[in-house]
Amino acid sequence: MAEHPDCALVRRGYEAFAQGDLDTLATLFTADVTHHVPGESLIAGHHKGREAVLQLYRRMAEETRGTFRIELQRVMADGRGHVISVHKAYGDRRDRGIEMMNGIFFTIVGGKVSDLDECVKDIDVMNEFWAA
């Protein structure tokens, strides 16, 4: 059975993120895409608009000196424009490291990602890792 197109879209996004290919990521997002990052840290908040989301990803790479990476574990679609992904995040920043399971709830509109709502296994660990 072929993979659902919404899952394939999210999988392409993960592959582009892993390669640092922001040009490809930009083509997968709507112009008004929003990435919601939970917590209270320098990356937390509602990053609205394609350029703001790409800037978030640039900042994550800069803050971790390129060590931040994710390993996609699962992708599941509901067939109504929603996808849930589960991934493991790794990175080093200053004197801290992180290795944690996370997930993202995606909304797909017109074959593009319009919303990413991130969930994390341990918000305190994430806040500490990304502390200002």
Side-chain angles (χ1 to χ4, degrees):
M1 180 178 241
E3 182 173 50
H4 190 279
D6 292 344
C7 288
L9 173 69
V10 168
R11 196 174 297 282
R12 281 194 310 275
Y14 270 88
E15 290 167 1
F17 183 92
Q19 296 169 5
D21 184 354
L22 299 183
D23 291 335
T24 294
L25 275 173
T27 69
L28 305 178
F29 295 151
T30 61
D32 63 346
V33 64
T34 303
H35 188 144
H36 309 274
V37 180
E40 298 177 11
S41 71
L42 62 91
I43 66 163
H46 306 285
H47 305 273
K48 185 160 180 65
R50 187 181 294 130
E51 187 51 41
V53 172
L54 296 175
Q55 184 55 38
L56 166 66
Y57 301 159
R58 285 184 202 99
R59 183 152 195 204
M60 293 168 73
E62 290 167 8
E63 289 286 334
T64 62
R65 297 185 179 176
T67 66
F68 190 78
R69 64 185 175 87
I70 50 179
E71 289 180 1
L72 184 59
Q73 306 286 315
R74 294 212 180 355
V75 181
M76 299 163 278
D78 70 355
R80 297 177 296 123
H82 302 110
V83 173
I84 293 177
S85 67
V86 177
H87 64 263
K88 195 165 201 178
Y90 302 87
D92 294 304
R93 183 170 177 265
R94 299 182 183 158
D95 63 343
R96 301 174 204 134
I98 196 165
E99 181 177 329
M100 184 169 56
M101 295 300 294
N102 296 329
I104 299 177
F105 180 81
F106 294 84
T107 302
I108 313 297
V109 175
K112 294 190 180 233
V113 175
S114 69
D115 198 77
L116 302 90
D117 202 347
E118 193 166 339
C119 297
V120 298
K121 183 175 180 181
D122 189 326
I123 195 71
D124 294 329
V125 168
M126 183 170 165
N127 285 338
E128 183 180 322
F129 181 76
W130 293 108

